[in-house]
Amino acid sequence: MSTNQQRREAAKRKLERQQARRAQRSARRKKVAATTAGAIVIALVAVVVVACAVNSSPSSPAPPPPPQAAGGRCAYQATPDEPAAKPVSVPTDLNPPADGTVQATMTTSQGVLPITLNRAEAPCTVASFVHLAQAGYFNNTPCHRLVTEGSLKVLQCGDPSGTGSGGPGYTIPDEKPTTLKPGQQGASVYPRGVLAMANTGQPNSGGSQFFLVYADSQLPPDYTVFGTVSEPGIKVLEKVAAAGDDGSLDSSAGGGKPKLPTSIQSVSVAG
């Protein structure tokens, strides 16, 4: 039989062994926890590094910023609320030549109109007209308005819709004429053979519509003059004017559709 002393010593050794095992288990748990935490941190760092590497990779570049509009003499303005009557782009050359002339040929259903475009007088307007002509914008489009009354003698064209309200989807800066002779009551004389831009009456509102003057006319000097029609072309205009208009336009200037239907078949530009 064990004595009481022996039993106490045995119980003490058993307790010490239990405490040692608990300490070992606690140390292992702490080591595992520390190892796991370290692994999580390493993994997170790796994810960030990989993400940064993907975002900065040459094979996956960030989208470039939108191009900035270049400055220039010709501030063509897009008109999103008034889209082009016929698909065409806005001119991109904002600094076209400002000297010399350009020869163009307007072939209509009533005859051919040789035209000289004057860059020195209106470089932005000439550049726009050439741009539209080369894009085929004027091809197979009607001349929708003829005025034969009073002091205004013009044939107006350049609107593919034929309504008088269509344009190219952009506007042209005004280039007001400086060489016109004064007319009556503050008007100026737009001489026979002049090619000029139509507008809405507001500043910088010209687009694709233009008018061809077949006899001296009086208008405010607010319409850009950008070319002239040669004598054979004026004869074609006089033939259209002689047939008269249908008076269908209810406006202070009068006029209407030409009774002799006239459409532009093509406009070619030399050079």
Side-chain angles (χ1 to χ4, degrees), residues 48-184:
V48 171
V49 170
V50 170
C52 291
V54 170
N55 289 337
S56 62
S57 170
S59 61
S60 302
Q68 299 297 313
R73 181 174 59 249
C74 303
Y76 303 113
Q77 296 293 325
T79 56
D81 295 337
E82 298 177 4
K86 185 177 181 179
V88 72
S89 63
V90 178
T92 56
D93 184 1
L94 304 185
N95 289 292
D99 58 3
T101 60
V102 179
Q103 299 303 311
T105 301
M106 184 180 297
T107 302
T108 76
S109 57
Q110 301 303 330
V112 176
L113 282 64
I115 294 171
T116 299
L117 304 174
N118 189 347
R119 284 174 169 159
E121 181 80 7
C124 300
T125 305
V126 169
S128 174
F129 185 87
V130 170
H131 169 76
L132 294 173
Q134 292 177 334
Y137 182 84
F138 298 121
N139 294 357
N140 304 310
T141 62
C143 290
H144 61 276
R145 181 187 188 197
L146 174 68
V147 183
T148 59
E149 302 171 357
S151 61
L152 187 59
K153 313 287 186 181
V154 300
L155 178 67
Q156 189 165 329
C157 316
D159 172 11
S161 73
T163 63
S165 60
Y170 65 88
T171 56
I172 306 170
D174 289 336
E175 295 171 296
K176 293 187 178 182
T178 58
T179 59
L180 297 178
K181 295 180 179 180
Q184 298 177 353

Side-chain angles (χ1 to χ4, degrees), residues 223-266:
Y223 302 90
T224 300
V225 173
F226 66 103
T228 55
V229 183
S230 68
E231 189 62 31
I234 297 175
K235 294 298 185 185
V236 174
L237 297 174
E238 290 174 339
K239 179 180 70 172
V240 175
D245 65 81
D246 65 6
S248 61
L249 293 180
D250 182 17
S251 69
S252 59
K257 294 180 179 180
K259 288 184 178 179
L260 185 61
T262 305
S263 61
I264 298 173
Q265 297 172 336
S266 65

Side-chain angles (χ1 to χ4, degrees), residues 5-48:
Q5 181 64 30
Q6 290 174 330
R7 286 196 295 271
R8 284 195 295 272
E9 290 178 355
K12 181 179 178 181
R13 288 193 296 272
K14 182 178 179 181
L15 178 61
E16 290 173 348
R17 289 195 296 270
Q18 290 175 343
Q19 290 175 338
R21 287 195 294 270
R22 283 196 294 269
Q24 290 173 352
R25 288 196 294 269
S26 177
R28 283 197 298 270
R29 285 195 296 270
K30 290 179 179 179
K31 184 178 180 179
V32 170
T35 302
T36 302
I40 292 173
V41 170
I42 292 171
L44 289 174
V45 171
V47 168
V48 171

